Amino acid sequence: MHSTINELLTLPPDLQSKISLMHYGDTRPNWEGQTGLMPFINQHETYTIET
């Protein structure tokens, strides 16, 4: 499922804190610091997800 950042920003903070943004276009720099509790993650990097 793909949602816009504006749609994701309407989610409650507890849900936003569980979301990482991965599919983004060339406009990522325009959104840096404006994604609520949802960080961008980078392709080709390994991340540890704590449950």
Side-chain angles (χ1 to χ4, degrees), residues 11-32:
L11 296 171
D14 62 319
L15 217 64
Q16 283 187 34
S17 68
K18 297 176 182 175
I19 296 172
S20 297
L21 304 172
M22 182 177 168
H23 295 154
Y24 45 81
D26 296 334
T27 61
R28 175 181 171 170
N30 299 338
W31 289 100
E32 293 285 351

Side-chain angles (χ1 to χ4, degrees), residues 1-21 35-38:
M1 173 180 187
H2 290 86
S3 301
T4 66
I5 292 175
N6 285 328
E7 290 171 328
L8 293 171
L9 286 170
T10 67
L11 296 171
D14 62 319
L15 217 64
Q16 283 187 34
S17 68
K18 297 176 182 175
I19 296 172
S20 297
L21 304 172
T35 60
L37 300 174
M38 302 169 288

